[in-house]
Amino acid sequence: MSALVTYVEVNESLSTESANPTDLGAFDVGLNRVEGGFPANGNDVFRFQIVPGQSLTGILLVDYSSHFNRMFFAIENDTTFPVSEDTLLFDGNSLSGDEFLGGLLVGTAAQIGTNLLPRIGNNNLFIGRGFAADGLPAEGPLGPGDYTVYLQQTGPATTYKLDFQVSAVAVPEPSSFAMFGLAACGLIFQRRRQKRTSKKRQF
């Protein structure tokens, strides 16, 4: 596992626009920490990439500080977030959760150090379209692609630390490929032999 990579210091430098998130680039295998903060009624929006051969296996809430123990966390599999910041601030109760991949309220002491990813689709606020009824991602870890994260606090100023855990996807070893190749050659040889036998029988 690679060393921890910190992408953003706590300095309110991330974008606040759903249509124009800060691009953090491709995450590395291992833990990728995003540190951020925003004032009262503020928000952060950023995006990242998971490259082929890797998957997002965890989103860990490392730290959270605010006088209000909940902030809104959501993720979408695209380069932008499909709901505007004004809608989320002033009319968030009208959302069903089908507008984006998944979301939930985070910030309680019990959530510190836990993996949020399996819970994104199983909560009282949203059931995301990308998650099954039990809260687990419908297809397991999130695969290669672009992802946008939206964070918002409709209360006091907030700071947070999130670790995005990226894992390499296991690929068959060269010996496995060799076995597949031998099996395929065997099938081809067997079919040719059967064709020759059937032709001889016709005479």
Side-chain angles (χ1 to χ4, degrees):
M1 179 175 291
S2 64
L4 180 70
V5 179
T6 300
Y7 281 81
V8 180
E9 298 297 332
V10 181
N11 57 10
E12 302 179 20
S13 64
L14 291 170
S15 173
T16 61
E17 301 175 16
S18 296
N20 186 32
T22 300
D23 187 1
L24 301 184
F27 279 174
D28 294 330
V29 170
L31 297 178
N32 301 265
R33 177 163 297 175
V34 179
E35 299 184 9
F38 36 79
N41 297 317
N43 67 299
D44 279 346
V45 194
F46 59 89
R47 65 186 177 99
F48 60 90
Q49 293 85 45
I50 301 297
V51 301
Q54 299 176 5
S55 63
L56 181 66
T57 54
I59 302 173
L60 311 175
L61 181 63
V62 178
D63 193 25
Y64 173 85
S65 178
S66 178
H67 291 299
F68 189 55
N69 69 351
R70 295 188 302 175
M71 73 172 173
F72 174 61
F73 172 97
I75 188 169
E76 170 67 347
N77 54 338
D78 203 344
T79 57
T80 60
F81 196 73
V83 184
S84 74
E85 53 275 12
D86 289 337
T87 298
L88 287 163
L89 181 60
F90 300 111
D91 194 26
N93 292 329
S94 67
L95 301 176
S96 67
D98 291 334
E99 296 88 350
F100 39 84
L101 193 61
L104 77 164
L105 295 176
V106 302
T108 63
Q111 291 175 320
I112 301 296
T114 63
N115 185 2
L116 304 177
L117 185 58
R119 306 171 63 185
I120 288 173
N122 184 18
N123 58 84
N124 294 330
L125 182 64
F126 296 112
I127 298 179
R129 55 178 163 77
F131 290 75
D134 60 4
L136 297 174
E139 297 180 359
L142 299 180
D146 294 287
Y147 295 93
T148 296
V149 169
Y150 186 100
L151 302 169
Q152 187 173 63
Q153 173 63 272
T154 56
T158 297
T159 61
Y160 61 86
K161 294 179 183 178
L162 293 165
D163 279 354
F164 292 80
Q165 185 173 32
V166 177
S167 302
V169 177
V171 296
E173 296 180 3
S175 58
S176 301
F177 284 118
M179 292 296 291
F180 288 136
L182 286 173
C185 289
L187 286 173
I188 293 171
F189 177 77
Q190 185 177 6
R191 286 181 181 174
R192 286 181 177 175
R193 190 174 180 183
Q194 287 175 346
K195 285 181 180 178
R196 289 177 182 172
T197 304
S198 61
K199 286 180 180 179
K200 287 181 180 178
R201 287 178 182 171
Q202 288 175 3
F203 293 105

